[in-house]
Structures are given as C-alpha cells and as structure tokens.
Amino acid sequence: MRAPDYPSPDAPKWAAVDAYFADLLAPGDDALNSALAANEKAGLPTHDVSAVQGKFLALLVQMTGASKVLEIGTLGGFSTIWMARALPENGMITTIERCPDHARVAQENLLVAGVSEKVDLRIGAAVEVLPSLAGPFDLVFIDADKPNNPVYLEWAIKLARVGTVIVGDNVVRGGGVVSPESTDQNVVGVRQFLDMLSTDHRLDSTALQTVGAKGWDGFSISIVKAL
Ligand code: DHB
Ligand code: MG
C-alpha cells in the first residue's frame, strides 16, 4: 500500500475503502500496475492520482465528450493512461513534464499501455511549453508544481473555449490550504489559485475534499463560462 501524502490516524481506513472501491470500480490491469511499479523502481515521488481518481478523470473525459485534453504535470503518466484510454478514436492528450527522467519513465509506461499514439508528451517547464500549444482544449488537468498554479490557470483559460472543464489536483493538502499565514509555497500557490477561481468571472467553480489512499486532499473543478 502506498504511503499517504498526508498521514492521519484515519488514513488506514480511508485507504481500505479506496482499495475496496478500486477493486470494484477501477481495478488495475497489467499496464497500470507495471506503470506504478516502474515509477517506484525509478524513484519517482508517489504523487500519482489514486486508481479511483484516475477513473474519475477518465469518466470526466467521457462525460465532457473531450477529444482534446491538456495535462500539466505528467510524472510517470499514470493519470495520462487513464485519460488517454477514455478518449475517442481521434482524441489526443497533450501532457507536459519538466523532469526528463520522469518523462522517460512516462514514455515507456505509455508505450506499454498502448496509448502512445494518443499522447503528445512535451518535455520542458510548463511555463515554457504552454505558449507553444494550440487550443482550444476541452479538458485541462492541472497537477504540476503548485507555486505555479496561478500561471497554469491563466494558460488553461487562454487555451480554453466556453465549456472547457478545468480540474486542479491537490487543493486541500492535508488541510494546509486553510492557513492564510502558511509559508509553504505549495499552499500559497493553491490559495492564490483558489482566489482566482472565486473571482475570475470567466469561471464557475467548486472544490471537493477527498480522503483515500493518498490521505486527505481534494480537487477543484471549473467550467469556462465566458471568454
Ligand atoms: C504533491 C503533488 C501532487 O501532485 C500530489 O498529487 C500530491 C502531493 C506535492 O507536491 O506535495
Ligand atoms: Mg497531484
């Protein structure tokens, strides 16, 4: 079992329920399991989405009818595989990874999963890569370095159309998000991001806490209602 990002006395119960749900609704297969094993072998941080979260993203791709997805933060490509599999025949996910070592692991994981032709993996800092992309994207998943979340949100909107869905990972951070005085730059970035979600008239948003295999965290979800 993975170590939760945010330890809590209740974490084992949350993980047990996640395992129960995942077995029923988001079971692993050879490609997903081998991706997680490869990530561990390569020493990647265990910041992959959980299986049920990956399934949630895959369902969002289908519910929105997305054929053009943008992921900011590939890591080892676990969430990328979930979303790529949910794309229609002509669909494509562009995913950005800053660390070349992580990107190499992701490339191999995507190959093993048989989704490489649906994934445009860009290696580089997202702030450098984003200006080179052509929108509009139907769905954007922001899951990279949190201090840059405000910049990523601006780019997500620039690369959106009316109706684009924007999902932000890790907006709870074990409850750390409620501390205005926090000096944790991840918290500072997420709080700025949430302020933007609340005040930007182009967006309609909410945020949901999650507990599970990763501990206590959550997602934001927004729709672009005007540009
Ligand atoms: C962190 C980043 C993630 O993307 C995640 O899912 C969990 C934790 C982090 O930087 O702490
Ligand atoms: Mg994340």
Side-chain angles (χ1 to χ4, degrees):
M1 199 181 290
R2 71 191 286 169
D5 286 305
Y6 305 102
S8 153
D10 286 325
K13 282 195 293 187
W14 300 338
V17 174
D18 243 17
Y20 170 67
F21 285 164
D23 278 351
L24 289 173
L25 306 171
D29 55 28
D30 287 349
L32 289 168
N33 294 337
S34 92
L36 292 178
N39 293 355
E40 189 178 352
K41 187 162 171 241
L44 267 54
T46 53
H47 292 159
D48 321 272
V49 297
S50 67
V52 291
Q53 290 172 347
K55 181 69 179 280
F56 171 67
L57 294 170
L59 288 168
L60 273 184
V61 169
Q62 295 173 78
M63 288 168 177
T64 57
S67 62
K68 203 169 149 65
V69 174
L70 172 62
E71 177 178 60
I72 305 174
T74 316
L75 192 61
F78 186 71
S79 49
T80 322
I81 295 171
W82 276 104
M83 289 190 278
R85 286 176 167 179
L87 287 168
E89 195 67 57
N90 63 342
M92 182 66 83
I93 175 167
T94 301
T95 184
I96 307 171
E97 177 52 49
R98 176 180 50 191
C99 173
D101 288 338
H102 297 178
R104 256 191 299 277
V105 176
Q107 194 80 269
E108 179 64 22
N109 289 339
L110 296 166
L111 197 67
V112 168
V115 294
S116 298
E117 71 283 2
K118 284 190 166 169
V119 182
D120 178 10
L121 172 58
R122 305 288 184 103
I123 303 170
V127 291
E128 313 265 321
V129 173
L130 287 162
S132 74
L133 299 182
F137 291 92
D138 306 310
L139 179 76
V140 183
F141 181 45
I142 300 175
D143 189 21
D145 55 310
K146 311 314 170 194
N148 273 319
N149 260 23
V151 181
Y152 299 154
L153 180 59
E154 279 300 348
W155 273 107
I157 298 168
K158 269 187 206 139
L159 293 167
R161 57 168 170 79
V162 171
T164 292
V165 169
I166 301 171
V167 178
D169 196 19
N170 314 117
V171 299
V172 175
R173 314 200 61 79
V177 71
V178 292
S179 302
E181 72 286 357
S182 178
T183 53
D184 176 343
Q185 290 310 301
N186 297 314
V187 168
V188 172
V190 167
R191 287 180 61 86
Q192 279 173 6
F193 172 80
L194 290 164
D195 278 345
M196 289 167 70
L197 296 190
S198 105
T199 55
D200 194 312
H201 296 294
R202 296 169 294 182
L203 301 175
D204 204 6
S205 305
T206 191
L208 293 170
Q209 303 183 66
T210 57
V211 294
K214 297 183 69 171
W216 178 24
D217 213 331
F219 293 105
S220 67
I221 186 160
S222 309
I223 190 162
V224 176
K225 58 180 184 177
L227 282 174

